[in-house]
Amino acid sequence: MAVPKTYVALAAIQAGDAAACAFKAPPIVKAFDDLGVPPRIRWIFPVIKSASAVGLLAAGRYPALGRLTTALLTVYFVLAVGAHIRAHDKPVNAIPAAGFVATYAVLTAKGTGRAT
């Protein structure tokens, strides 16, 4: 089955973000520093983001995996918003994470539209 275009686009975003984390892009390093993410645990972010990209791409063939992936991404981005709040970060910096909370929550509720 074909993967819905929304899932493909979101998988590309997750894969790009995984690469940016893996190669320690300066804006990512600054964001982690600002949020107080300890350097010793930053290795996990490329792993999480890569796995989520795979889960999103698998949604066409395995709708239950797609739904699980969007549910876990909802939790991930809720935690990201919480990290911005805990760090007293500028509210504008939490907007992308908040947008992803809404996006992934809707996708979780809706599913891929294919039988599971």
Side-chain angles (χ1 to χ4, degrees), residues 19-55:
C21 289
F23 293 107
K24 298 180 175 121
I28 300 294
V29 172
K30 181 180 180 334
F32 284 157
D33 289 344
D34 291 348
L35 295 176
V37 177
R40 72 181 183 283
I41 67 164
R42 294 180 187 182
W43 66 269
I44 195 70
F45 291 97
V47 174
I48 292 168
K49 293 171 187 219
S50 296
S52 69
V54 171

Side-chain angles (χ1 to χ4, degrees), residues 1-20:
M1 290 186 171
V3 181
K5 290 178 186 176
T6 302
Y7 285 72
V8 173
L10 291 168
I13 291 168
Q14 288 298 107
D17 201 13

Side-chain angles (χ1 to χ4, degrees), residues 20-101:
C21 289
F23 293 107
K24 298 180 175 121
I28 300 294
V29 172
K30 181 180 180 334
F32 284 157
D33 289 344
D34 291 348
L35 295 176
V37 177
R40 72 181 183 283
I41 67 164
R42 294 180 187 182
W43 66 269
I44 195 70
F45 291 97
V47 174
I48 292 168
K49 293 171 187 219
S50 296
S52 69
V54 171
L56 291 168
L57 290 175
R61 187 170 186 114
Y62 304 102
L65 178 59
R67 184 167 266 173
L68 175 63
T69 301
T70 59
L72 292 173
L73 282 165
T74 301
V75 172
Y76 174 88
F77 283 107
V78 165
L79 294 172
V81 170
H84 285 281
I85 292 168
R86 180 183 52 82
H88 304 287
D89 200 8
K90 295 180 225 167
V92 70
N93 291 340
I95 290 172
F100 282 123
V101 167

